[in-house]
Amino acid sequence: MQDRDQDGSSAASHRYVALLRGINVGGHHKLPMRDLAAMFAAAGCEDVRTYIQSGNVVFRALPELADGLPTRITAEIAASHGFQIPVVMRTASDFDRIVRDNPFLAAGVDPAKLHVGFLAAAPEPTRLAQLDPDRSPPDAFEVRKGEVYLHFPAGVARSKLDNAYFDRTLNTVCTIRNWRTVGKLHEMLRGV
């Protein structure tokens, strides 16, 4: 039997967030959050909580369980709801770094104009070199580790810096969250 922390969770479990791309957007790929939370609980995750309808799940899990979760959850969604959805995960310590290291926030940019693209895999240097800093002026971006920090001064709606661009250019999967959501998930991870 595993030891338990004061909150009742397994002592060896870690805090994670799973970020799903493209669910409940514009009436497409509908997936109730209670169904999504149930999938994570059935997989063995603890303290499962969701945030807004766009597919953000905060939970605790053993590292060996967490390693296979993106593939498992993608397969379960395909089987139960009939569509493929990428799942990108980060640890609580990843989120500490992400919030601390935002170069645009450090430069005093309005947080309401900031987003973060979470990459499923760190891009190769040759792929990074293919990114065009002038693709969508006045928008700006900076890639650090597995994240793309984004500044959209005129808003995100007309930007050419989208998931498809980063997927194609970096040869990985990208899912983007606004800075408010990043902050809320960080709070949830610290409170789990």
Side-chain angles (χ1 to χ4, degrees), residues 78-158:
S80 64
H81 290 76
F83 49 83
Q84 292 275 20
I85 294 294
V87 179
V88 177
M89 287 192 13
R90 293 294 186 269
T91 65
S93 60
D94 289 334
F95 255 75
D96 289 342
R97 173 187 50 79
I98 291 162
V99 168
R100 180 184 64 240
D101 291 349
N102 188 322
F104 297 111
L105 196 62
V109 170
D110 178 2
K113 305 292 185 183
L114 301 179
H115 288 66
V116 177
F118 296 88
L119 304 175
E124 296 175 11
T126 55
R127 292 286 188 163
L128 283 173
Q130 295 174 26
L131 291 172
D132 179 4
D134 297 318
R135 176 175 171 78
S136 186
D139 304 331
F141 65 89
E142 185 172 325
V143 180
R144 291 188 175 182
K145 297 194 180 232
E147 288 77 40
V148 181
Y149 293 93
L150 297 153
H151 177 218
F152 298 121
V156 69
R158 292 195 174 122

Side-chain angles (χ1 to χ4, degrees), residues 2 16 22 48 59 85 97 120 188:
Q2 289 190 340
Y16 296 91
V48 179
F59 60 94
I85 294 294
R97 173 187 50 79
M188 291 173 70

